[in-house]
Amino acid sequence: QVQLVESGGGLVQPGGSLRLSCAASRNGFEIGAMAWFRQAPGKEREFVAARRWNGGAIYYADSVKGRFSIARESGSYTISLQMNSLKSEDTAVYYCASGRPITSTITTIRGYTSWGQGTQVTVSS
């Protein structure tokens, strides 16, 4: 199983920016895609963004399009999530995930087999 370690969460004012990172250890397991999900208090975990490792296809939730950007850092199994124009409704625990999802599951929880421990993002004045 792939080990995932997230970093970069914190407290930011509305309209501000944060950058999350997720480092993966391959352990000989080929990564098909990596993604970010989030879970706000009292709500279900929801998809935020995903990127296929080879080919580079990228997917975003409608709620973050134009504000968030997922990227792969060359030469390493690390992805980042640049979050701009943050809103209070972006407050959640953000989770990194990896797996080998097919197209129909790449934006769903069941598409991923490895998860990070989560990092808190709080948007508040």
Side-chain angles (χ1 to χ4, degrees), residues 55-70:
I58 291 175
Y59 305 79
Y60 292 105
D62 288 343
S63 59
V64 306
K65 280 181 181 177
R67 300 189 299 121
F68 291 12
S69 178
I70 187 171

Side-chain angles (χ1 to χ4, degrees), residues 16-95:
S17 299
L18 276 177
R19 184 175 179 272
L20 307 181
S21 291
C22 175
S25 63
R26 292 183 61 195
N27 287 338
F29 186 87
E30 183 179 353
I31 296 173
M34 292 183 72
W36 291 95
F37 288 75
R38 67 186 182 187
Q39 188 166 17
K43 294 188 177 181
E44 295 185 351
R45 192 171 298 189
E46 65 175 7
F47 169 76
V48 175
R51 188 192 192 283
R52 288 210 176 276
W53 207 252
N54 296 311
I58 291 175
Y59 305 79
Y60 292 105
D62 288 343
S63 59
V64 306
K65 280 181 181 177
R67 300 189 299 121
F68 291 12
S69 178
I70 187 171
R72 170 183 173 180
E73 295 188 12
S74 61
S76 69
Y77 281 89
T78 300
I79 61 166
S80 62
L81 184 69
Q82 178 66 42
M83 304 184 294
N84 300 325
S85 302
L86 283 161
K87 307 174 182 179
S88 58
E89 51 262 45
D90 295 318
T91 295
V93 177
Y94 283 70
Y95 295 91

